[in-house]
Amino acid sequence: MTPQAALLDDLATLLGKGGLLTEADDMERYRVDWPGHHGAEPLAVARPSTTRQVANVVGYCHRHDIPLVPQGGHSGLVGGALPDADHPELVVSLERMAAIRHVDPINFTMSVDGGCILQSVKDAAEAADCDFPLSLGAQGSCQIGGNVSTNAGGLNVLRYGMMRQLVLGLEVVLPDGRIYNGMKALHKNNTGYDLKQLFIGAEGTLGIVTGAVLKLFPRPQVSRTALLACPNVDAVLELYALARRSCCDLLTAFELVPRTCLELAMEAAPDLRDPLDAPAPVYVLMEVAASGPLDLDAMIETLFERGFEAGALTDGVLAASETQARNLWHIREAMLEGQRNRGEHLRTDVSIPISSLSAFHQRASEEIQSLCPQATIIAYGHIGDGNLHFNILPPPGLGADERSTLLHELEERLFEIVDDFDGSISAEHGIGRFKQSAFMEMLSEPEYDIMRGLKHLLDPRGLMSPGRILPRPAE
Ligand SMILES: Cc1cc2nc3c(=O)[nH]c(=O)nc-3n(C[C@H](O)[C@H](O)[C@H](O)COP(=O)(O)OP(=O)(O)OC[C@H]3O[C@@H](n4cnc5c(N)ncnc54)[C@H](O)[C@@H]3O)c2cc1C
């Protein structure tokens, strides 16, 4: 038996029937992510069904120097979960660990497996008359372990915070195979360093998240969704400040949707209709929700009045039913599909202090257009969190190399502007592999030393998701 065959044999024994995939055809779907990027063929795909099995596999890899990469629902956008080409890796997929362990509607908590699909978590919360507020386009496929590891944000950060604010406890298999059990359902716990925070947003580089205790909220009983037309981004920000003040802290989402995005959405979903009579340069898709019987219509009407008076608003529609609200939110989902249909493009995820967003938007748009007048800028996003997806569609007809060089050049310029505004090159998607060189350029020496030190402390052999966030030490 070759050493590799012996190794696969050992792993198959550790994982039991159906726990290890080794055939190329079976492994194909673990090499592709949502945007369509392809990773290399992995050494094998491990599909553990218990935390103990994850620990056994990781411990085995630690003893035999086998690099590995955890995988959730493949919806990450920075290539972190894709198997590496230069150093064959074992993919550890959590797809068979998808149980809701316990829902506690009095403590407002839920304990789940790391492989639980976000939508199942939301459904289980709703069944207990609670709400788990993390909401994003990939919620039908992304897993809690992936959400934790990318510190996912989404549509409701404005009111509920990012994943970091929604996790009370974690269970993590460490790179040497030991299990860190921090599954306490405590709302307050000030005992020493808050270890769980280390693993949130670590993109699988410090361990595999096998369980999480999540914070729940009362289920919203009433909500209102509106699409508002604005003359420009400045007006959107003025409206945002008005909405924060007029809506009694009940604002759950405030999304910027430029006209180009609405058009992309209608292109991808031909049944979608333009909700307003006349086109506007930019729109806001907003939602207000409350867990008690409040008069949200009165609140929104006041906002409309103030918005019109200030000239920040030119038109708007308030959804009159749940179906109408769903149709408005459908615009937000379909515009992502519309972008994906346009092929390879620059996808960014920057954040800027909210008060500087308009100046950033204007400068970035002007500079990108002057570098490439035929490019199409699509800048949309969670504007209530200062988070813009400043994406760029290249002109059609470019060859693959030419397109890739152009997108790289545009990204560099954009990130320099982000830096000038003291912003961040990743508000929520993370660094993975695709953003690593830009990240390294912006990292100060103390920041690098702390991060490298933490990585070395937990993963001295560098086997856990090597080359993600930080480069491999020898590189
Ligand atoms: C249509 C769409 C909309 C999106 N919208 C948003 C949005 O609004 N806000 C936002 O923040 N993000 C958004 N995302 C990206 C977001 O990061 C992911 O959807 C999600 O958080 C990743 O979860 P996943 O299970 O798919 O992880 P994967 O893609 O499988 O993995 C992502 C990273 O996490 C690591 N990982 C996965 N599981 C584990 C685990 N159990 N333990 C340790 N590491 C693990 C992987 O190694 C990889 O580095 C969107 C993506 C899509 C496709």
Side-chain angles (χ1 to χ4, degrees):
M1 199 187 264
T2 63
Q4 175 150 336
L7 187 148
L8 295 179
D9 209 42
D10 287 347
L11 287 171
T13 307
L14 288 175
L15 287 157
K17 196 169 177 326
L20 191 76
L21 306 178
T22 53
E23 297 298 325
D25 281 356
D26 295 338
M27 297 194 293
E28 184 55 29
R29 74 187 182 86
Y30 301 88
R31 297 174 55 182
V32 191
D33 62 13
W34 182 86
H37 303 111
H38 272 70
E41 184 168 305
L43 203 59
V45 177
R47 300 165 65 239
S49 55
T50 62
T51 300
R52 176 44 52 203
Q53 283 190 350
V54 176
N56 290 343
V57 166
V58 174
Y60 182 91
C61 289
H62 177 71
R63 290 190 298 281
H64 293 82
D65 256 329
I66 303 166
L68 39 85
V69 59
Q71 255 186 21
H74 311 181
S75 69
L77 299 173
V78 288
L82 294 175
D84 194 1
D86 301 331
H87 310 76
E89 293 171 338
L90 178 74
V91 165
V92 181
S93 166
L94 279 263
E95 65 191 352
R96 292 206 302 171
M97 292 179 61
I100 305 280
R101 297 188 192 173
H102 180 58
V103 184
D104 184 341
I106 293 181
N107 197 36
F108 282 93
T109 51
M110 186 192 296
S111 312
V112 300
D113 278 356
C116 221
I117 302 278
L118 174 57
Q119 186 62 55
S120 316
V121 170
K122 293 174 77 67
D123 292 346
E126 196 177 325
D129 199 23
C130 290
D131 182 39
F132 181 62
L134 184 72
S135 284
L136 41 98
Q139 65 195 35
S141 58
C142 62
Q143 300 177 2
I144 287 299
N147 301 147
V148 169
S149 302
T150 57
N151 185 25
L155 300 171
N156 298 337
V157 172
L158 184 57
R159 169 107 161 254
Y160 300 98
M162 295 180 73
M163 200 57 182
R164 202 176 283 290
Q165 280 82 42
L166 300 175
V167 173
L168 294 177
L170 280 186
E171 177 189 82
V172 182
V173 172
L174 301 174
D176 61 4
R178 285 180 300 162
I179 299 169
Y180 158 68
N181 183 350
M183 291 288 281
K184 285 191 199 288
L186 298 176
H187 292 275
K188 287 179 153 186
N189 179 5
N190 251 353
T191 49
Y193 301 121
D194 190 355
L195 295 181
K196 67 177 180 295
Q197 295 297 346
L198 269 184
F199 303 100
I200 304 175
E203 302 186 47
T205 59
L206 301 180
I208 301 188
V209 175
T210 50
V213 183
L214 306 172
K215 200 167 164 183
L216 303 180
F217 293 81
R219 192 162 68 87
Q221 305 291 326
V222 282
S223 70
R224 288 291 179 272
T225 302
L227 184 83
L228 313 175
C230 302
N232 51 45
V233 178
D234 253 340
V236 168
L237 293 172
E238 195 176 345
L239 196 61
Y240 164 74
L242 279 176
R244 284 297 297 265
R245 292 189 171 88
S246 313
C247 297
C248 305
D249 266 343
L250 297 174
L251 196 59
T252 49
F254 198 88
E255 297 284 308
L256 172 72
V257 179
R259 179 74 199 172
T260 37
C261 277
L262 182 58
E263 281 165 7
L264 278 174
M266 291 193 287
E267 200 178 288
D271 54 321
L272 264 180
R273 295 278 162 272
D274 193 335
L276 298 171
D277 293 337
V282 277
Y283 305 88
V284 167
L285 188 52
M286 66 169 270
E287 188 183 79
V288 185
S291 57
L294 289 182
D295 187 357
L296 298 182
D297 287 342
M299 212 173 271
I300 293 197
E301 271 162 31
T302 308
L303 173 65
F304 271 42
E305 278 165 24
R306 290 186 185 167
F308 278 121
E309 262 171 37
L313 188 58
T314 53
D315 198 1
V317 57
L318 176 62
S321 64
E322 260 187 46
T323 313
Q324 274 187 19
R326 262 199 306 278
N327 285 344
L328 290 180
W329 279 113
H330 187 38
I331 296 173
R332 183 65 177 76
E333 287 151 28
M335 72 195 210
L336 301 184
E337 209 52 50
Q339 276 179 85
R340 185 162 77 152
N341 294 346
R342 290 292 185 96
E344 195 190 341
H345 57 277
L346 181 63
R347 204 185 275 278
T348 72
D349 166 39
V350 305
S351 64
I352 304 290
I354 300 172
S355 45
S356 306
L357 267 170
S358 180
F360 167 80
H361 184 277
Q362 189 177 349
R363 182 166 151 210
S365 303
E366 280 168 10
E367 292 200 23
I368 295 297
Q369 293 290 210
S370 80
L371 274 174
C372 182
Q374 306 87 5
T376 308
I377 293 170
I378 312 177
Y380 66 96
H382 317 304
I383 201 155
D385 315 323
N387 178 189
L388 260 193
H389 297 300
F390 198 101
N391 295 352
I392 304 172
L393 301 180
L398 297 183
D401 287 347
E402 210 182 343
R403 187 175 54 218
S404 166
T405 311
L406 171 71
L407 293 182
H408 182 66
E409 194 187 326
L410 297 180
E411 183 183 64
E412 272 189 347
R413 188 68 209 107
L414 186 70
F415 286 173
E416 280 163 13
I417 303 170
V418 168
D419 202 29
D420 287 348
F421 279 83
D422 223 2
S424 163
I425 60 164
S426 174
E428 51 179 22
H429 295 162
I431 301 300
R433 294 198 306 203
F434 300 159
K435 300 265 183 299
Q436 191 186 69
S437 58
F439 174 59
M440 290 307 291
E441 273 176 36
M442 286 171 182
L443 213 53
S444 69
E445 202 181 309
E447 286 169 327
Y448 176 80
D449 288 346
I450 295 170
M451 289 194 196
R452 180 57 83 197
L454 284 172
K455 172 74 176 163
H456 185 73
L457 175 74
L458 286 163
D459 185 16
R461 299 191 183 176
L463 296 172
M464 191 64 82
S465 296
R468 280 75 170 186
I469 303 187
L470 298 176
R472 293 165 191 276
E475 284 171 5

